[in-house]
C-alpha cells in the first residue's frame, strides 16, 4: 500500500501533469476571472454593512489564508519542474527499494520455515565446548504421561498447551487457541503470585 501511494504521488501524478497541462492553465484562468468579480461585489456593498463584513473577515481570514496557502502550494507542486523532481525521485525510490523488498521476502520465508517446524529437542554447547542435546521438554512431557492420572488437568503457561496435550496426552487449562485474555491473565497471576494466593486462585479454575 505504501509503495503504491508513493508510486502514485511520485510517478503517476507527475506524468498526468505532463500529459494534461491544459487543466492547470484553465484553473488559473478561472481563478483570474473570479478575482475581478469578487472585487466588484465588494465595492458594491453598502456602507452600513461594512462592520458586519469586517467581523466576518476577522473570523474567516485564517481559513481563507489556509485555503490560499494550499492553492499556492498545489500550484508549485504541480508545476513542470517539481513534477520532474517527483518523477525522478519516485524512480530512484523504486530502484532503491527493490533489493530491500527481496531481502524482506527472503526473511519472511526463512522465519516462516523456522516457526512452522517447532522442536522440543535442540542442540546446545557447554562452556567447555562439549556439544549436548537438550531433551528436558520431552522428558518432562513423558513424565506427566507416565506419572499422572489420565484425567489430570495441567496448569501451565499457554505456550506449552499443545505440546502437553499432544505428547503427554493430558488436558491443559490454556493453549495457543485460548482467546479469552482474562483467562490468560489469571494464569499469569497464578504463576507469578505467592504460593498461598496462587493456590487460592487456582482452586476456582
Amino acid at each position: 500500500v505504501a509503495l503504491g501511494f508513493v508510486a502514485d504521488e511520485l510517478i503517476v501524478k507527475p506524468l498526468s501533469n505532463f500529459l494534461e497541462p491544459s487543466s492547470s492553465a484553465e484553473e488559473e484562468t478561472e481563478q483570474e476571472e473570479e478575482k475581478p468579480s469578487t472585487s466588484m461585489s465588494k465595492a458594491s456593498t453598502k456602507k452600513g454593512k461594512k462592520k458586519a463584513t469586517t467581523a466576518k473577515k476577522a473570523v474567516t481570514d485564517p481559513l481563507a489564508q489556509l485555503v490560499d496557502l494550499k492553492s499556492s502550494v498545489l500550484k508549485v507542486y504541480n508545476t513542470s519542474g517539481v513534477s520532474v523532481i517527483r518523477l525522478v525521485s519516485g524512480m530512484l525510490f523504486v530502484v532503491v527499494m527493490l533489493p530491500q523488498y527481496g531481502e524482506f521476502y527472503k526473511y519472511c520465508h526463512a522465519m516462516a520455515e523456522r516457526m512452522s517446524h517447532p522442536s522440543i529437542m535442540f542442540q546446545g554447547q557447554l562452556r567447555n565446548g562439549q556439544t549436548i542435546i537438550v531433551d528436558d521438554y520431552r522428558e518432562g512431557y513423558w513424565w506427566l504421561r507416565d506419572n499422572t492420572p489420565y484425567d489430570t488437568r495441567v496448569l501451565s503457561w499457554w505456550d506449552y498447551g499443545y505440546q502437553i496435550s499432544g505428547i503427554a496426552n493430558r488436558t491443559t487449562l490454556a493453549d495457543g487457541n485460548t482467546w479469552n485474555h482474562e483467562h490468560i491473565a489469571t494464569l499469569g497471576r497464578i504463576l507469578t503470585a505467592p504460593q498461598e494466593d496462587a493456590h487460592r486462585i487456582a482452586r476456582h479454575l
Side-chain angles (χ1 to χ4, degrees), residues 9-10 13-15 17-18 21 24 73-90:
E9 286 292 328
L10 299 179
K13 288 185 179 179
L15 286 176
N17 291 333
F18 278 119
S24 59
V73 170
L74 287 177
K75 283 182 182 178
V76 176
Y77 187 72
N78 292 322
T79 56
S80 59
V82 177
S83 297
V84 171
I85 296 173
R86 290 163 56 195
L87 182 61
V88 173
S89 59

Side-chain angles (χ1 to χ4, degrees), residues 1-35:
V1 175
L3 288 175
F5 175 77
V6 172
D8 182 65
E9 286 292 328
L10 299 179
I11 298 177
V12 178
K13 288 185 179 179
L15 286 176
S16 64
N17 291 333
F18 278 119
L19 296 176
E20 298 178 359
S22 59
S23 60
S24 59
E26 291 177 358
E27 291 178 357
E28 291 178 357
T29 54
E30 288 178 358
Q31 291 177 358
E32 290 177 356
E33 290 176 356
E34 289 177 357
K35 287 181 180 179

Side-chain angles (χ1 to χ4, degrees), residues 78-150:
N78 292 322
T79 56
S80 59
V82 177
S83 297
V84 171
I85 296 173
R86 290 163 56 195
L87 182 61
V88 173
S89 59
M91 295 176 67
L92 288 176
F93 178 80
V94 172
V95 171
V96 171
M97 287 303 296
L98 281 177
Q100 302 295 328
Y101 173 76
E103 292 296 328
F104 180 73
Y105 182 81
K106 292 178 182 178
Y107 175 80
C108 290
H109 275 265
M111 181 64 70
E113 289 181 0
R114 289 196 294 268
M115 295 180 68
S116 61
H117 299 288
S119 177
I120 60 173
M121 299 173 61
F122 54 92
Q123 182 176 322
Q125 190 173 9
L126 300 178
R127 293 183 179 180
N128 59 5
Q130 180 183 357
T131 301
I132 61 172
I133 299 298
V134 180
D135 196 17
D136 298 344
Y137 291 106
R138 184 192 59 81
E139 291 182 357
Y141 298 146
W142 281 11
W143 187 94
L144 282 174
R145 181 195 63 185
D146 299 334
N147 296 277
T148 58
Y150 183 74

